[in-house]
Amino acid sequence: MAQTIEQQVIIPEHLHGMRLDQALGWIWPAYSRTRIQHWIKLGNITVNGALLRPRDTVQGGEEVILHADLVDTEIWLPEAIPIDVVYEDEAIIVVNKPANLVVHPADSTPNGTLVNGLLTRYPELSLLPRAGIVHRLDKDTTGLLVVARIAEAHNSLVQQLQTRTMGRCYEAIVTGAMTAGGTVDAPINRHPMDRKRMAVVEHGKPAVTHYRVLERFPAHTRIDVRLETGRTHQIRVHMAHIHHPIVGDPVYGGRFRLPPAASPALIQALQQFKRQALHAKELHLQHPITGETLSFYAPVPEDMQQLTLLLRAPYDADDPR
């Protein structure tokens, strides 16, 4: 069954000079660049009423109209995978994703993903772009994720992400004792030497991360992180960029380090923490149908709680109270 997609947008001025397919990929992140190129070539997309090529550049300010039938060539099968649903109604679903769960099927993980599990409980998601997923969490990042259940909700949530009105707050444990909070404003794109990694690069996509100190330990810090943009691996890349990589990060964590005079229990906990200590704990959005502001909270998972207790132990032991 095909779904008709109709969208009308104005290309933002800051995309001036970008290829049309790249600009539209930025505007519509739920659709792959291949699909957008296909629509442009079929004439499903007009720019100021004209048909352009994918490689044509945009100036900013153009009116783009999309009218196409969305037919997914990918077949994602339902699977009985436990899902922690925090909230659901006729328009949206909010889930609390555990570690070790991929969000989307891919060549390397064709099944066993969050999407496969969602399709069992909500078969109508098969009619939506990317099964209603509008933003992702990495495989080993835990926490809150919103999923659209109907086309109207999908369009609204994508718009909220683009206009940065959807609020997302994370908690992380990073290496090194931070002196204060701050902001990382550094562009991100594919690593020039390793396409599987992201990196801060001069001509990357704008990326802004705000962080504040929640608790400081001898050689680690527990922080609150708020995203202004949503690039792939953004928090992990930005924290590594300022030399405070997230504990346990297998890609950006750098050299393993232990705090001075660490207890055997803490040493063991740090050595065995094999995922990035990153959790999406808060999500704030406007309901796509009612317009009501909704806020959700997911407690920090057990593994991060236990690590925090062990990091805190030296302070507790020396506390004269």
Side-chain angles (χ1 to χ4, degrees), residues 19 80 158 182 190 198 215 261 272 298 312 314:
R19 282 175 54 123
V158 169
R190 292 287 171 189
M198 307 301 288
E215 194 170 2
Q272 294 180 353
R312 191 182 289 150

Side-chain angles (χ1 to χ4, degrees), residues 70-71 95 109 115 117 120 185 202 211 215 253 263 266 279 281 314-315:
L70 182 66
V71 181
V95 302
T109 51
V115 164
T120 297
D185 185 349
E202 184 178 357
Y211 63 95
E215 194 170 2
S263 67
L266 177 55
H279 174 69
K281 64 179 180 180
Y315 294 106

Side-chain angles (χ1 to χ4, degrees), residues 189-210:
N189 214 325
R190 292 287 171 189
H191 193 287
M193 304 300 291
D194 184 353
R195 301 298 293 173
K196 294 182 180 180
R197 301 177 61 189
M198 307 301 288
V200 170
V201 294
E202 184 178 357
H203 299 294
K205 297 177 181 179
V208 180
T209 303
H210 306 283

Side-chain angles (χ1 to χ4, degrees), residues 258-279:
L258 289 172
S263 67
L266 177 55
I267 291 173
Q268 183 180 23
L270 290 169
Q271 289 174 336
Q272 294 180 353
F273 209 97
K274 299 300 184 182
R275 74 170 185 95
Q276 58 270 11
L278 180 62
H279 174 69

Side-chain angles (χ1 to χ4, degrees), residues 149-210:
R149 202 170 176 179
I150 57 176
E152 185 178 354
H154 184 274
N155 294 338
S156 172
L157 293 173
V158 169
Q159 181 73 12
Q160 290 182 52
L161 282 167
Q162 291 172 351
T163 57
R164 304 174 183 177
T165 55
M166 183 184 294
R168 291 170 289 167
C169 178
Y170 295 71
E171 185 166 316
I173 301 172
V174 300
T175 300
M178 289 181 165
T179 56
T183 295
V184 184
D185 185 349
I188 292 175
N189 214 325
R190 292 287 171 189
H191 193 287
M193 304 300 291
D194 184 353
R195 301 298 293 173
K196 294 182 180 180
R197 301 177 61 189
M198 307 301 288
V200 170
V201 294
E202 184 178 357
H203 299 294
K205 297 177 181 179
V208 180
T209 303
H210 306 283

